[in-house]
Amino acid sequence: MDKSKIKKVVLAYSGGLDTSIIIPWLKENYNNCEVIAVSGDVGQGTELDGLEEKAIKTGASKLYIEDLKKEFVEDYIFPTMQAGAIYEGEYLLGTSFARPVIAKRIVEIALKEGADAICHGCTGKGNDQVRFELAIKAFAPHMAIIAPWREWSIKSREEEIDYAEAHNIPLRINRETNYSKDKNLWHLSHEGLDLEDPANEPQYSKPGFLEMCVSPEQAPDEPTYLTISFEKGIPVAIDGEKMGSVEIVEKLNELGGKNGIGLIDLVENRLVGMKSRGVYETPGGTILYHAHKVLETLCLDRDTQHYKELVANRFAELVYFGQWYSPLREALSAFVTETQKTVTGTVKLKLYKGNIINAGTVSEYSLYDPDIATFDEDHVYDQADANGFINLFGLPTRVRAMMKAKKG
């Protein structure tokens, strides 16, 4: 990259530690270039307060704050939930699918502003650098990308704090509470400090650690009942009240959070090859995934349900690996959408001290027929038919056993 040609840079800006120091660093190392900051609002809440003033004071020429919450939920979260995609069986992909929607909007602004480069604050050890850059390449394949963590001499978050203090950049963290966190409408992740040792139990009861949930021990002694209504695999109402997509996630976060739902302590395999340990709070998402899966057990035939589980695993990898805009992800989404045509109905759940307990499911497309499944007398299923079925189904096993007996 010819630094002399970089006159205007669009920065993916969160106002956190990394991006706070990147603005002055860019101006120092890229010929005092103009820096335009862009923050994608995917539900960070109060983290966006005062961001414009901070960005301007640290050297940005302007700040865009883009409301992406509805697009995030409807175009990224819900399709992933419909797929049943969970990375390594536990991680509900909260950070993973937030990056493509943010990066897409950053590219749009960069092209509108005539920027020479896009900059992000992702580390060279993490997954996010891949997620951001693959999205940038999908929409602006010739755009230059600046990744300071792969260039500068700073080696740790401690040194980042030193740099911020030397440049009088205000921070919302201190050296003692310097967890690396990522928050959006779907989840909150925690990494670093004592969590870097998997032998350490997360301090769920420590004031200020959990933000979306309480620990199960602190949850109410009385359970919370709720009913979620789905249409074609999309949640549309809670307890019979129609809600928008963002409202549904927010309401389920509230209900799940107060009941200690959705806490995960996970050692995961990063795309770059190392293992990392994180604690995740995903209260509403955990409820939605559970309810959707319960409804599918009624509405999907066996072969589709089982094959969809294979698709879910690959779908989760694509999202985690930053390949949202890949042809394979789009093709798998087309398959998932087809499976959801009859996933309509209501699911009643009981939330109690970190547990989600099924309390009844109803669907007009239910494939469960009590007249066939009953243990009582019925007139629609001839149990003698099982003789021929088992003989044919077990024929390969029988033939192999006969061969082995013949061979001694």
Side-chain angles (χ1 to χ4, degrees), residues 343-392:
V343 184
T344 296
T346 59
V347 180
K348 187 177 182 181
L349 301 171
K350 179 167 68 172
L351 312 181
Y352 183 67
K353 291 189 177 296
N355 297 291
I356 305 175
I357 302 165
N358 298 340
T361 311
V362 177
S363 173
E364 61 183 300
Y365 297 102
S366 174
L367 298 176
Y368 178 87
D369 189 336
D371 291 335
I372 295 177
T374 181
F375 284 96
D376 294 330
E377 181 181 359
D378 69 81
H379 303 285
V380 294
Y381 185 96
D382 187 345
Q383 297 196 30
D385 290 345
N387 289 327
F389 167 74
I390 294 171
N391 286 334
L392 292 176

Side-chain angles (χ1 to χ4, degrees), residues 24-133:
W25 181 88
L26 280 171
K27 299 182 79 67
E28 290 174 358
N29 290 273
Y30 281 83
N31 306 305
N32 198 34
C33 61
E34 179 184 358
V35 179
I36 298 171
V38 180
S39 293
D41 181 1
V42 286
Q44 300 93 311
T46 57
E47 289 185 8
L48 298 173
D49 294 348
L51 218 55
E52 182 174 11
E53 180 183 3
K54 180 177 180 179
I56 301 300
K57 278 187 175 181
T58 51
S61 62
K62 68 175 78 169
L63 170 69
Y64 288 86
I65 298 181
E66 301 294 295
D67 187 350
L68 305 174
K69 292 190 291 294
K70 189 172 187 291
E71 181 181 356
F72 177 40
V73 173
E74 295 180 0
D75 295 347
Y76 297 82
I77 290 178
F78 284 173
T80 304
M81 178 209 66
Q82 286 179 304
I86 303 174
Y87 184 67
E88 297 188 335
E90 291 192 84
Y91 176 42
L92 296 183
L93 299 164
T95 299
S96 308
F97 50 31
R99 298 319 188 211
V101 65
I102 294 172
K104 176 174 175 284
R105 185 64 184 127
I106 288 171
V107 171
E108 291 168 353
I109 291 173
L111 294 175
K112 183 182 75 170
E113 288 281 357
D116 304 303
I118 292 174
C119 179
H120 64 75
C122 308
T123 73
K125 287 185 175 181
N127 302 304
D128 279 347
Q129 58 183 333
V130 181
R131 296 165 183 156
F132 269 110
E133 294 188 29

Side-chain angles (χ1 to χ4, degrees), residues 79-91 93 269 289 293 296 304-323 328-329 332 335-336:
T80 304
M81 178 209 66
Q82 286 179 304
I86 303 174
Y87 184 67
E88 297 188 335
E90 291 192 84
Y91 176 42
L93 299 164
N269 290 293
Y289 263 76
K293 184 175 182 179
E296 283 192 327
T304 300
Q305 184 178 340
H306 289 186
Y307 192 79
K308 188 170 174 288
E309 290 174 359
L310 302 177
V311 169
N313 185 60
R314 189 68 182 101
F315 197 109
E317 289 183 338
L318 291 170
V319 177
Y320 189 86
F321 295 163
Q323 295 173 291
L328 179 55
R329 199 283 307 166
L332 293 184
F335 164 78
V336 170

Side-chain angles (χ1 to χ4, degrees), residues 164-394:
E165 291 175 348
H167 289 75
N168 297 313
I169 299 171
L171 299 174
R172 294 179 179 177
I173 62 172
N174 57 51
R175 296 178 191 272
E176 288 71 39
T177 61
N178 186 20
Y179 285 107
S180 176
K181 296 190 178 187
D182 178 76
K183 184 179 183 180
N184 59 45
L185 187 66
W186 188 247
H187 90 156
L188 174 64
S189 65
H190 311 257
E191 294 180 317
L193 297 182
D194 57 303
L195 297 178
E196 291 191 344
D197 185 351
N200 292 329
E201 180 182 359
Q203 301 301 303
Y204 293 135
S205 60
K206 183 178 180 180
F209 182 75
L210 296 178
E211 297 180 29
M212 298 178 73
C213 301
V214 299
S215 67
E217 295 90 340
Q218 296 169 322
D221 292 330
E222 295 297 322
T224 297
Y225 283 89
L226 75 152
T227 300
I228 305 174
S229 301
F230 290 85
E231 292 180 5
K232 295 183 177 181
I234 299 294
V236 294
I238 298 176
D239 293 332
E241 181 183 350
K242 290 277 187 178
M243 295 182 181
S245 56
V246 174
E247 291 177 288
I248 283 177
V249 175
E250 290 175 336
K251 182 63 175 178
L252 292 177
N253 279 338
E254 175 193 337
L255 296 173
K258 76 177 185 179
N259 284 282
I261 304 295
L263 291 176
I264 298 174
D265 177 6
L266 173 65
V267 174
E268 67 197 63
N269 290 293
R270 285 184 178 174
L271 172 59
V272 295
M274 71 184 71
K275 291 183 182 287
S276 65
R277 195 269 188 102
V279 169
Y280 299 95
E281 301 177 58
T282 321
T286 301
I287 296 170
L288 269 182
Y289 263 76
H290 184 104
H292 180 261
K293 184 175 182 179
V294 168
L295 184 58
E296 283 192 327
T297 64
L298 281 188
C299 301
L300 296 186
D301 65 279
R302 180 192 64 196
D303 288 350
T304 300
Q305 184 178 340
H306 289 186
Y307 192 79
K308 188 170 174 288
E309 290 174 359
L310 302 177
V311 169
N313 185 60
R314 189 68 182 101
F315 197 109
E317 289 183 338
L318 291 170
V319 177
Y320 189 86
F321 295 163
Q323 295 173 291
W324 183 268
Y325 299 113
S326 68
L328 179 55
R329 199 283 307 166
E330 293 172 357
L332 293 184
S333 282
F335 164 78
V336 170
T337 298
E338 179 67 23
T339 69
Q340 299 300 291
K341 288 182 176 179
T342 60
V343 184
T344 296
T346 59
V347 180
K348 187 177 182 181
L349 301 171
K350 179 167 68 172
L351 312 181
Y352 183 67
K353 291 189 177 296
N355 297 291
I356 305 175
I357 302 165
N358 298 340
T361 311
V362 177
S363 173
E364 61 183 300
Y365 297 102
S366 174
L367 298 176
Y368 178 87
D369 189 336
D371 291 335
I372 295 177
T374 181
F375 284 96
D376 294 330
E377 181 181 359
D378 69 81
H379 303 285
V380 294
Y381 185 96
D382 187 345
Q383 297 196 30
D385 290 345
N387 289 327
F389 167 74
I390 294 171
N391 286 334
L392 292 176
F393 189 69

